[in-house]
Amino acid sequence: MGAQAWRAAGTAALMLVMVLLGGCRSPALVGAPEPLMTADELEASLKPYLGPDVVTTYQGKSGADQTNYRDQVIYARIAVIDARFKAFLTGLGVESKSFGIGADAAVIGLNTGSVLSGGETAKNILSGLAGAVTGIKGSVDKNAFYDQTVPTLVSQMVASRREVLAGMLGKMQTANYTLVEALIDLEGYEFAGSFAGALQQIGQKAGNQLQVAEARLQQLATTRLQASDVAPDQIQARAALAGRIQGLTGPQAIAAVKQAATLPAFSATVQQAQQAGADPASETGARALLKLLLSDAFASTGTLAQLTGIINGVSAP
Amino acid sequence: MAGDAGVLPLKKVWVVDGAAAEADVQAQAQQVRDLGWQSVTVFPPSAETRQSWVIVGEGFAVG
């Protein structure tokens, strides 16, 4: 790569930074200034690093030259992917400033400049990016998807892109990170900035959250019922008892739970409910616990009679 | 939760004899809901449920 081409690449990177930083200074209104360099123009200026022969060129080099060339290809492609991503957002009518995209791309641009000038190392950038990834990751949840589809998807894209970018910058600290591996990561970086990539991430998060929620559910003992247990008269009898539970005073409900907790038929459920957050010492908690115990007492095994006896006992004058 | 309104992360399964009438099972499921179970699903008899009705309740309301 000749000095002239490098100057072109450096100029392109600096121009990109200027464009993006300029965007950051603009008022928070919809729209953006006319870019100094379009994605196509930037792509044309970095063409030597975008062709299919970069791997061959890379393999023809060795030592520091090879590593430097790898970095140049990576930065050039990141710059083009970012420019396309910004154009994509502009097409969506999304204000890139809202997502801090300008800042990200500026960091990349400055890093490109540092490679050219041999200045700042990427370590400082990594630390900043790591914080940014931490800040944005986890802020996207599936519920918001329904209310603010595009902003949520774009937020997810930005978070995913930062994560992939941070990973690439980390790998670039070693010479063992080959250009072929980097090209694969760049594919991932590009995909992260797409609707498909964002949807994939959100779906994966939703699945993880569901698994966590499932794991948190405490499974109470299974109750086996005969057909006669769900006959209308039985259901009516339990509904009557539920009504009586609702009519208990606070102290009566608390006393009833206290008694039930001592019986083998109900002690495990009371204990599990407490572990799940129920408070048997409060009026609301005690009443809910009694209803929970009633749902344990559907079978004609004497548990309903036991619970009825407790309610009779605490409500007797 | 300390007595405040909320939902306890609990799950309970009722296995009902497959011979029970569907209307009775559905009425039983409604009672499960009325008692405070937030999500109640009824599975009809099948090979998977070993020919029993299965009622699954998830999340129990407090308050």
Side-chain angles (χ1 to χ4, degrees):
Chain A
M1 172 59 51
Q4 191 176 1
W6 264 119
R7 274 196 296 277
T11 303
L14 288 173
M15 288 172 84
L16 175 64
V17 171
M18 289 170 70
V19 169
L20 297 168
L21 289 179
C24 288
R25 285 197 300 270
S26 65
L29 298 173
V30 176
E34 186 73 21
L36 289 177
M37 184 178 276
T38 66
D40 288 343
E41 289 167 344
L42 180 66
E43 193 171 331
S45 69
L46 296 174
K47 198 174 179 182
Y49 300 102
L50 308 177
D53 58 342
V54 289
V55 174
T56 308
T57 306
Y58 169 77
Q59 287 169 342
K61 295 178 181 291
S62 62
D65 279 352
Q66 191 181 51
T67 306
N68 284 338
Y69 181 74
R70 176 203 67 185
D71 292 350
Q72 290 153 16
V73 172
I74 293 172
Y75 289 133
R77 293 186 177 219
I78 286 174
V80 172
I81 292 171
D82 283 349
R84 286 183 178 178
F85 184 62
K86 191 164 183 287
F88 167 66
L89 293 186
T90 305
L92 286 175
V94 172
E95 178 66 17
S96 60
K97 186 173 183 293
S98 309
F99 298 96
I101 291 160
D104 273 1
V107 166
I108 298 163
L110 288 170
N111 194 34
T112 310
S114 74
V115 168
L116 296 175
S117 66
E120 184 184 4
T121 66
K123 285 181 183 173
N124 299 332
I125 298 155
L126 270 178
S127 60
L129 275 173
V133 169
T134 307
I136 288 193
K137 272 176 68 182
S139 65
V140 180
D141 65 47
K142 191 163 179 272
N143 292 335
F145 172 77
Y146 298 102
D147 299 331
Q148 296 181 320
T149 308
V150 170
T152 300
L153 287 173
V154 172
S155 293
Q156 181 61 61
M157 288 179 206
V158 172
S160 299
R161 291 172 88 252
R162 285 182 178 175
E163 196 168 358
V164 177
L165 179 61
M168 277 195 290
L169 292 178
K171 291 176 185 175
M172 286 168 71
Q173 302 308 302
T174 70
N176 294 333
Y177 184 48
T178 66
L179 181 59
V180 173
E181 195 181 344
L183 292 176
I184 293 170
D185 287 343
L186 283 163
E187 287 281 331
Y189 184 59
E190 196 166 15
F191 181 67
S194 68
F195 280 130
L199 285 170
Q200 186 187 64
Q201 283 294 314
I202 289 174
Q204 192 176 335
K205 279 183 188 175
N208 293 342
Q209 286 168 353
L210 182 63
Q211 283 184 347
V212 170
E214 282 281 343
R216 285 181 56 202
L217 281 178
Q218 287 228 32
Q219 175 95 40
L220 300 179
T222 297
T223 299
R224 295 191 173 277
L225 304 174
Q226 301 302 313
S228 58
D229 294 329
V230 295
D233 60 326
Q234 291 297 312
I235 291 176
Q236 200 170 358
R238 289 192 288 269
L241 188 57
R244 291 187 60 198
I245 289 170
Q246 193 60 35
L248 292 176
T249 65
Q252 287 173 335
I254 292 167
V257 170
K258 206 170 179 179
Q259 282 187 38
T262 65
L263 299 177
F266 302 119
S267 59
T269 298
V270 172
Q271 197 173 357
Q272 284 182 282
Q274 280 186 271
Q275 286 169 357
D279 179 10
S282 76
E283 179 179 339
T284 311
R287 195 167 281 117
L289 266 167
L290 289 172
K291 289 182 181 176
L292 183 65
L293 295 179
L294 180 53
S295 68
D296 256 358
F298 286 178
S300 52
T301 54
T303 49
L304 184 63
Q306 283 182 297
L307 191 58
T308 304
I310 291 171
I311 302 301
N312 287 342
V314 298
S315 53
Chain B
M1 196 157 292
D4 295 329
V7 177
L8 301 177
L10 297 172
K11 179 176 181 176
K12 185 168 176 65
V13 176
W14 294 265
V15 179
V16 186
D17 186 349
E22 180 173 0
D24 290 351
V25 175
Q26 292 294 349
Q28 183 59 79
Q30 184 56 50
Q31 183 167 59
V32 167
R33 289 188 192 92
D34 294 343
L35 285 173
W37 288 95
Q38 296 298 285
S39 171
V40 178
T41 311
V42 178
F43 296 93
S46 68
E48 285 183 341
T49 65
R50 295 183 181 178
Q51 303 308 324
S52 296
W53 291 92
V54 174
I55 303 172
V56 179
E58 290 183 336
F60 194 84
V62 175

